[in-house]
């Protein structure tokens, strides 16, 4: 779990144009994984939610969408996320007493400059992309037996 701003400017942009997408697939990928590990991370087509704007992208590392959170997690208690010390040090919000943090999703909001996130209780909301309090919970598909 890491921490990074979602986007620098508050404007209507899609996942394909987010600076965070570029950072995940370049800087984060190269810093977080060895060459052997990177070889197992698949490049997949990442589709925008029906609520989102933009085109499908080819990514190795991505943020989950609202639809994927519903598909892969069974309940709000399963979407709760503990912040790493690193994310907290970088500025991620942590709920006192629980250690839970907020984490960004790639689903854009109905208003320009807004995107979805999962809050410290495990519920999904929309926030201004300039709200620098949510953590990054990268997602990827890996090949188990290459």
């Amino acid at each position: 779990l890491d921490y990074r701003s979602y986007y620098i400017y508050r404007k209507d942009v899609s996942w394909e144009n987010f600076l965070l997408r570029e950072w995940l697939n370049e800087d984060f990928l190269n810093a977080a994984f060895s060459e052997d590990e990177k070889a197992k991370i698949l490049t997949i087509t990442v589709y925008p939610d029906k609520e989102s704007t933009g085109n499908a992208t080819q990514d190795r590392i991505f943020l989950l969408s609202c639809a994927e959170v519903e598909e892969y997690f069974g309940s709000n208690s399963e979407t709760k996320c503990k912040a790493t010390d690193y994310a907290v040090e970088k500025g991620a919000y942590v709920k006192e007493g629980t250690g839970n943090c907020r984490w960004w999703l790639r689903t854009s909001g109905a208003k320009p400059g807004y995107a979805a996130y999962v809050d410290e209780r495990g519920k999904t909301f929309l926030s201004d992309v300039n709200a620098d309090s949510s953590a990054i919970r990268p997602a990827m598909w890996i090949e188990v037996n290459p």
Side-chain angles (χ1 to χ4, degrees):
L1 189 62
D2 205 335
Y3 173 80
R4 183 136 180 120
S5 294
Y6 197 82
Y7 199 76
I8 298 170
Y9 309 106
R10 185 176 180 210
K11 62 181 180 178
D12 190 14
V13 294
S14 62
W15 169 250
E16 67 186 309
N17 297 320
F18 279 136
L19 297 176
L20 180 56
R21 176 179 167 257
E22 180 181 320
W23 175 80
L24 283 169
N25 283 281
E26 292 176 11
D27 298 341
F28 177 78
L29 177 69
N30 291 320
F33 301 99
S34 69
E35 291 303 317
D36 287 339
E37 291 168 331
K38 286 192 282 189
K40 295 177 182 179
I41 300 172
L42 302 174
T43 299
I44 65 157
T45 303
V46 177
Y47 296 96
D49 273 1
K50 62 183 176 185
E51 299 88 7
S52 298
T53 59
N55 299 306
T57 59
Q58 295 292 305
D59 295 317
R60 295 174 75 187
I61 310 288
F62 55 95
L63 299 182
L64 294 176
S65 67
C66 286
E68 289 165 338
V69 168
E70 289 178 22
E71 180 179 349
Y72 301 135
F73 293 93
S75 67
N76 288 348
S77 65
E78 292 180 4
T79 60
K80 291 178 185 176
C81 182
K82 300 285 184 197
T84 62
D85 291 339
Y86 180 77
V88 172
E89 183 181 307
K90 298 286 260 177
Y93 167 82
V94 176
K95 176 74 172 170
E96 190 173 325
T98 67
N100 294 341
C101 65
R102 299 172 182 154
W103 51 284
W104 286 114
L105 302 174
R106 75 171 184 271
T107 302
S108 56
K111 293 167 45 176
Y114 279 72
Y117 72 97
V118 176
D119 79 353
E120 62 279 1
R121 296 167 295 165
K123 297 182 179 185
T124 304
F125 292 97
L126 289 175
S127 178
D128 184 320
V129 295
N130 289 323
D132 282 340
S133 61
S134 296
I136 306 300
R137 195 174 190 183
M140 70 196 85
W141 289 102
I142 60 168
E143 186 171 353
V144 179
N145 296 314

